[in-house]
Amino acid sequence: MSQSTLAYHWSRSEFLRAWEAGAFDHRVELVEGAIWPVVIGSWHGDAVGQLLALLPRTAVKVTTATLPTGGSLPDPDCWVRRADAEPVGTVGTRLSVWDASDVLLVVEVADETTIQDLNVKAKLYGQAGYAVYWVITQQAIYEHVDPIPTGYRTRIEHRPGEEIPVRYAGSSLAVDELIAP
C-alpha cells in the first residue's frame, strides 16, 4: 500500500512572516510556493565574487537582494537594475518590488541547482518580464533573452573561449573569467 504525502504550498505573506520572525535556521528562498534551501559551495562563492567584480556598473546598481517575482521570493546570486529606478512597491518590511523594465539582468550561479535554474527559475524570471537571465555553470553560461509568458523565447549557450554580451552595457565578458575564477 502506498502512502501519499501532502505538500504545503506557502503563500508569499506566510513565508515573509516566518522569514521576518527568524523561523529558518539557514538561507532559503520561496519559489512557486515551495521553500528551497540556498546552498553556496566554494566554486559558487568564488564565481559570484568574480561576477560582482566584473559586471559593468555605469548607470546601474548591482545587488544580491531578494527579487520579489510574482508570488515567489527568489534569491538570485545577483541582479542589475537601472541606477535611477525607484521601487514600485514593497513586500513585508524589508523587500522592494521593481518594475520589470528596470531589471536589466538576473544571474543565478548554478553548482547543485542547474536543472532548477534552467527550468523553473527561467520560467519564473521570463514570466516576470526580466529582459536577460544568465545561468552560470562550471561548463558554460546560458543566456536567456526575449521573455514570454512561458519563460524565454531564446536560450544561448556560451562556452569557454567565447564572450557573453552584457546587453545593458553594450559590452561583453569572457566566459572563462566567469566560470573559472
Side-chain angles (χ1 to χ4, degrees):
M1 179 185 232
S2 67
Q3 194 173 17
S4 65
T5 27
L6 296 175
Y8 185 77
H9 183 88
W10 287 72
S11 72
R12 194 163 73 171
S13 62
E14 289 169 326
F15 176 83
L16 271 174
R17 280 195 310 274
W19 178 66
E20 288 177 342
F24 304 110
D25 62 357
H26 57 282
R27 193 169 156 197
V28 294
E29 61 186 338
L30 179 68
V31 178
E32 295 184 330
I35 295 177
W36 289 8
V38 176
V39 179
I40 300 174
S42 295
W43 174 83
H44 181 279
D46 290 347
V48 171
Q50 185 74 350
L51 172 68
L52 293 172
L54 293 174
L55 282 175
R57 297 181 186 284
T58 304
V60 300
K61 292 208 178 197
V62 178
T63 183
T64 59
T66 297
L67 181 59
T69 302
S72 297
L73 294 170
D75 216 4
D77 291 299
C78 86
W79 56 281
V80 179
R81 69 175 185 266
R82 296 179 201 290
D84 61 352
E86 294 290 330
V88 295
T90 59
V91 176
T93 60
R94 298 186 281 177
L95 299 176
S96 296
V97 177
W98 302 91
D99 187 271
S101 65
D102 291 326
V103 177
L104 306 174
L105 172 65
V106 178
V107 183
E108 294 284 358
V109 175
D111 196 359
E112 299 175 16
T113 59
T114 304
I115 299 301
Q116 296 94 325
D117 291 343
L118 287 173
N119 294 294
V120 177
K121 285 196 175 174
K123 177 182 155 199
L124 186 71
Y125 295 141
Q127 286 175 334
Y130 302 143
V132 181
Y133 168 52
W134 292 356
V135 177
I136 300 176
T137 71
Q138 292 184 50
Q139 293 77 37
I141 302 175
Y142 299 90
E143 177 189 33
H144 300 78
V145 295
D146 304 321
I148 57 175
T150 56
Y152 287 91
R153 183 179 323 278
T154 307
R155 179 167 76 191
I156 305 159
E157 183 177 337
H158 300 275
R159 295 299 227 165
E162 299 176 0
E163 300 225 334
I164 184 165
V166 183
R167 296 173 190 271
Y168 71 83
S171 63
S172 63
L173 293 171
V175 170
D176 295 301
E177 287 188 75
L178 293 170
I179 68 173

